[in-house]
Amino acid sequence: MKLIFSVAFFCLLAFVVNAESVVDLTDDDFDAKLGTYETALVMFYAPWCGHCKRLKPEFEKAASTLKSNDPPITLAKVDCTEGGKDTCNKFSVQGYPTLKIFKNGEVSAEYNGPREASGISKYMRAQVGPSAKDLLNVKAVEDFLAKDEVGVVGFFSDESSDLKDALVKLADKLRESVRFGITTKKEALDKYGYTDKIVLFRPKHLHNKFEPNFVVYDGSATKEALNTWVEKNFHGLVGHRSVDNAAQFKQPSVVAYYGVDYVKNTKGTNYWRNRILKVAQSFKDDFNFAISNKDDFQQELNEYGLEYISDDKPRVAARDAKGTKFVMKEAFSVEAFEKFLNDVKDGKAETYLKSEPVPENNTPLKTAVAKNFDEVVTNNGKDTLIEFYAPWCGHCKKLGPVFEEVASVLKDEDVAIVKMDATANDVPSGFEVRGFPTMFWLPKDSKDKPVRYDGGREKDDFVKYIAKHATKELKGWDRSGEPKDLKEL
C-alpha cells in the first residue's frame, strides 16, 4: 500500500508541477504579465472544448521543459469564456484552441506547429535566438553534435561569404525543423578538417554501416540548392518517422512499423532498422524509407487493415507516387522485404483498398464503398451529388433523412444521390475530405473535376442547386428549381 501511495503521490506531484508551469492570464493582467516575457506561447481556450482538453496535458509538459530553456520560453493560457473574454476578442479568437507566439508582449506569429509536448518544445526552441547557432569553440561544436538530432554545421574561414549567407537564409526558413550551427574558429576548422564547407551530421543513434554518418555539401552557394540538399539527406536512407515529422516523408514511401524506441531500446530498434537498411540501399532511388513506432501510428496502421501488433516483427506498408496502398503480407524477413519492394516497383503487388462490402443498392439513395466507387459514382453516366460522412457525426445524422428525401424525389431524374462512409472506406484521390459531412457535385461529363457543395442542407436547397447545375434540365424542375407543371410534360 505504501508503494502504491508513493507512486500515486509522485504522479500527482508531477501533474501539479507541470500545471503550475503554465501561466494563467486574464483581462486584468494579460498585457502587464505578457510584456515581461521575451518569448511566450499563449493558448486561447474554452474549458468545454474537446481539442483543448487533449492539448492541455501536452501543453503543460512542454511548459515545464521550456521554462528552463536558455533563454526561457513561457507558456500561458487564457480562458475565453471567463476572465479572458475581452482579450480573446482583442486577438480575434474565433476557434478553440487558438495558439499565438508573442515576443515582448506583441504578437509575433500564429503557432502552426505540432500539438504534442516534444513537438511543441522543439518548435518553440527554434523561435528564440539566432536561426543558426554561433559555435564559439571546439567544445561548442562537440556539444552541438552530441544532441540526438541531425545538425547542419557551416565551417567558414571568413565572417562573410556567399555560402555562409545562403546557410543563414536557409536557417531562417527551416529553423522550426532543422538545427543549424556556424563556426569560424580556426581550432574547430582544424579539428574537423573543413574550411568553407557545410556538413550535415547524423546523430549517433542513427549511425550505420550502409551510409556515411555525415554528408558534405558540394553544390552552388544558393539557398535553393542548399535547401534541396538538406531535404534529400536529412532523414538518411531510412529515417525515424514520428508524429512530429511524418509530413516530411513524401511518396512513394515505405514504412516499417514496430516497437521503435530510441529512449529505452536503441539496440532493439536498430536491430530491425539495420535489416531494413540492408534492403533499402538497393531501392533508394525508388522509395523514401522510414521506421515508425507502431503504437504512435495505430490509426494509420488501421488504414492498411493492420490491427494491434503484439509481436516484435515489423509490419511493412507502402504507397506509390499516386498514393495507392500496398501491404506486405508475409512475416518480415530480409528476403520477403526485398521481394515485396520488387513487386511494388514492378507493378505486381496487390493493392490494398479499405472497403466495406459492396451493398445491393436497391433504394434511391445509393451507397458507395471503395470497391464499387467507380461503378456507383465515376462511371454511372449521371450527374452525381455525393456525401462523405462519419457514422458518429451529429451533423451527418441530421442530414441523413434529408439526403434520402432528395434521392427519393429525384429518383426518375438523370441524377445520382450517393453517400459514403469515409471512415470505413478509402476516399479516392481528388476528394479532399477534412470534416464531416463533406459533399461534392460531379457533372457527368467532368467527373475528374468535383465541385465542393457548400449550399444549404434542406431538401429544397439541394433540389434548387441540382436543377441549376444539372447537365441536362431536369424533367420535374426548371433551372430556377421551381416545379414544372406536370400536365404539360
Side-chain angles (χ1 to χ4, degrees):
M1 287 296 294
K2 288 183 178 180
L3 177 61
I4 295 173
F5 177 80
S6 297
V7 171
F9 173 77
F10 284 111
C11 289
L12 178 61
L13 181 62
F15 174 80
V16 171
V17 169
N18 286 341
E20 290 180 348
S21 298
V22 178
V23 177
D24 278 297
L25 299 175
T26 66
D27 294 334
D28 295 334
D29 61 11
F30 185 89
D31 291 332
K33 278 190 177 180
L34 204 62
T36 66
Y37 305 132
E38 182 178 340
T39 302
L41 175 63
V42 179
M43 174 173 69
F44 299 91
Y45 75 100
W48 48 258
C49 162
H51 293 297
C52 303
K53 291 177 181 178
R54 286 190 290 273
L55 176 60
K56 188 177 179 181
E58 299 297 320
F59 201 72
E60 289 165 350
K61 290 177 188 176
S64 66
T65 299
L66 291 171
K67 69 179 182 180
S68 59
N69 189 71
D70 184 19
I73 299 170
T74 301
L75 268 60
K77 65 182 190 290
V78 178
D79 184 347
C80 295
T81 67
E82 292 294 338
K85 290 182 179 179
D86 292 341
T87 301
C88 294
N89 289 332
K90 175 182 176 182
F91 291 102
S92 303
V93 175
Q94 297 180 343
Y96 307 115
T98 292
L99 291 91
K100 296 178 183 287
I101 299 171
F102 287 76
K103 297 286 183 74
N104 299 310
E106 299 292 331
V107 175
S108 171
E110 299 293 324
Y111 176 86
N112 296 310
R115 296 296 175 98
E116 43 83 28
S118 62
I120 294 170
S121 298
K122 182 178 179 180
Y123 189 98
M124 289 306 299
R125 284 193 186 103
Q127 304 302 316
V128 298
S131 54
K133 186 176 180 63
D134 193 7
L135 306 175
L136 300 176
N137 50 50
V138 170
K139 186 177 185 306
V141 179
E142 292 173 343
D143 290 345
F144 183 82
L145 298 180
K147 303 291 185 183
D148 60 357
E149 300 175 61
V150 170
V152 178
V153 180
F155 298 88
F156 300 107
S157 58
D158 297 319
E159 290 295 332
S160 179
S161 71
D162 290 341
L163 188 59
K164 182 182 178 184
D165 291 344
L167 181 63
V168 171
K169 290 177 181 177
L170 182 62
D172 288 337
K173 176 186 176 184
L174 301 180
R175 64 183 300 157
E176 286 89 4
S177 56
V178 183
R179 294 188 313 126
F180 292 89
I182 292 176
T183 184
T184 57
K185 302 304 177 182
K186 185 177 184 303
E187 60 269 25
L189 273 60
D190 291 342
K191 173 171 179 171
Y192 288 92
Y194 299 113
T195 301
D196 298 323
K197 292 289 185 181
I198 297 172
V199 186
L200 182 147
F201 293 90
R202 299 192 172 106
K204 187 176 180 179
H205 68 276
L206 295 182
H207 290 183
N208 62 84
K209 66 180 181 180
F210 301 101
E211 62 184 340
N213 299 330
F214 56 87
V215 188
V216 182
Y217 181 65
D218 61 357
S220 61
T222 66
K223 182 184 76 172
E224 293 72 22
L226 188 56
N227 187 88
T228 300
W229 174 78
V230 169
E231 289 184 352
K232 179 181 177 181
N233 293 283
F234 188 81
H235 292 292
L237 185 54
V238 177
H240 178 196
R241 179 173 172 269
S242 64
V243 174
D244 184 19
N245 67 12
Q248 297 173 13
F249 292 83
K250 307 300 183 184
Q251 298 170 178
S253 62
V254 176
V255 182
Y257 302 86
Y258 62 100
V260 175
D261 189 343
Y262 277 113
V263 176
K264 298 178 181 178
N265 190 17
T266 299
K267 185 177 180 180
T269 298
N270 281 335
Y271 173 85
W272 290 114
R273 181 171 181 261
N274 286 334
R275 280 150 182 76
I276 296 161
L277 279 159
K278 183 177 181 179
V279 179
Q281 62 182 334
S282 301
F283 295 87
K284 61 184 178 182
D285 295 327
D286 304 302
F287 304 101
N288 296 309
F289 290 88
I291 57 172
S292 286
N293 181 279
K294 61 181 181 179
D295 296 330
D296 292 343
F297 287 90
Q298 184 57 58
Q299 184 175 351
E300 189 170 279
L301 283 166
N302 293 342
E303 293 298 309
Y304 291 99
L306 298 170
E307 300 302 325
Y308 178 73
I309 301 171
S310 58
D311 57 54
D312 295 333
K313 284 194 172 184
R315 301 298 192 273
V316 178
R319 286 182 183 264
D320 63 16
K322 295 180 180 179
T324 305
K325 297 190 289 189
F326 305 88
V327 178
M328 187 173 122
K329 297 180 179 180
E330 295 81 2
F332 184 89
S333 69
V334 169
E335 295 75 21
F337 186 39
E338 185 172 15
K339 181 180 184 303
F340 172 70
L341 294 179
N342 275 317
D343 286 347
V344 174
K345 179 182 176 182
D346 297 338
K348 297 178 181 178
E350 179 183 351
T351 60
Y352 174 77
L353 197 63
K354 185 175 76 168
S355 178
E356 294 178 292
V358 175
E360 293 184 3
N361 271 333
N362 51 14
T363 60
L365 178 60
K366 305 305 178 185
T367 298
V369 298
K371 290 180 179 178
N372 74 351
F373 192 87
D374 285 346
E375 174 190 347
V376 175
V377 178
T378 309
N379 300 323
N380 63 5
K382 297 181 178 182
D383 294 333
T384 302
L385 180 66
I386 182 169
E387 174 207 1
F388 294 98
Y389 73 95
W392 44 259
C393 163
H395 294 297
C396 303
K397 291 177 182 178
K398 184 178 180 181
L399 180 63
V402 177
F403 232 56
E404 289 181 357
E405 190 176 2
V406 173
S408 180
V409 300
L410 296 178
K411 64 182 179 180
D412 296 325
E413 301 288 352
D414 194 26
V415 175
I417 309 299
V418 184
K419 65 177 181 177
M420 180 174 179
D421 182 349
T423 68
N425 299 275
D426 281 336
V427 176
S429 59
F431 297 91
E432 186 176 354
V433 179
R434 293 187 176 180
F436 301 111
T438 296
M439 290 169 277
F440 289 94
W441 171 253
L442 295 88
K444 67 178 181 180
D445 297 326
S446 55
K447 291 291 179 74
D448 59 334
K449 298 177 181 178
V451 179
R452 184 184 294 274
Y453 175 85
D454 290 318
R457 295 184 180 181
E458 299 299 329
K459 183 195 75 173
D460 290 344
D461 296 322
F462 287 114
V463 171
K464 287 182 178 181
Y465 179 92
I466 293 170
K468 178 180 179 180
H469 294 90
T471 301
K472 183 179 179 181
E473 186 171 299
L474 299 181
K475 291 180 286 185
W477 291 263
D478 62 24
R479 286 296 185 183
S480 68
E482 292 297 321
K484 293 179 179 178
D485 185 352
L486 298 181
K487 294 180 182 180
E488 297 178 359
L489 296 179

